[in-house]
Amino acid sequence: MIRVRYRCIVCGRKFPEGQGIVIKYNDLVLSFHSSRCASKFLKRLLEIVPYEDLGKYIREIYSEYEDLLKKKEELRAKRI
C-alpha cells in the first residue's frame, strides 16, 4: 500500500495522507501541514483578491455561520 505524501505549500513540510489540511480546487491541490499554514494562505488570499470579486461570498458565508450560531444558542437556552 502506497501512502500519499503531501507537501505544505506554505512552509514546505511533508506530511502523510490523513494529516494536515488538503483542499482540492479544480485542478489544484492545496495542501497545508497545519491550520496555521492554512490561515496564512487564506489571509494572503483575502489581501490580494479584489473585494468586489469576493465580498458577496464572504458576506453570504458569514451570514450562514451567524445563523448557525444563533440556532445553537437558542437550543442551549431551551435546555436550561
Side-chain angles (χ1 to χ4, degrees), residues 51-66:
Y51 185 78
E52 302 82 43
D53 298 337
L54 201 55
K56 170 184 155 189
Y57 302 106
I58 291 173
R59 280 194 290 282
E60 184 179 316
I61 294 169
Y62 183 90
S63 293
E64 286 176 19
Y65 280 108
E66 235 179 10

Side-chain angles (χ1 to χ4, degrees), residues 8 20 26 30 33 44 46 60 63 70-71 73 77-78:
C8 180
N26 292 335
L30 306 172
H33 96 278
R44 181 72 182 121
L46 293 174
E60 184 179 316
S63 293
K70 285 178 186 176
K71 287 178 184 176
E73 289 173 359
K78 287 181 183 178

Side-chain angles (χ1 to χ4, degrees), residues 27-75:
D27 61 339
L28 291 174
V29 176
L30 306 172
S31 52
F32 310 99
H33 96 278
S34 68
S35 58
R36 183 175 179 199
C37 285
S39 60
K40 276 184 182 181
F41 181 88
L42 176 62
K43 181 181 179 207
R44 181 72 182 121
L45 177 67
L46 293 174
E47 289 172 351
I48 66 171
V49 173
Y51 185 78
E52 302 82 43
D53 298 337
L54 201 55
K56 170 184 155 189
Y57 302 106
I58 291 173
R59 280 194 290 282
E60 184 179 316
I61 294 169
Y62 183 90
S63 293
E64 286 176 19
Y65 280 108
E66 235 179 10
D67 292 343
L68 286 171
L69 286 174
K70 285 178 186 176
K71 287 178 184 176
K72 283 182 182 179
E73 289 173 359
E74 289 172 4
L75 284 174

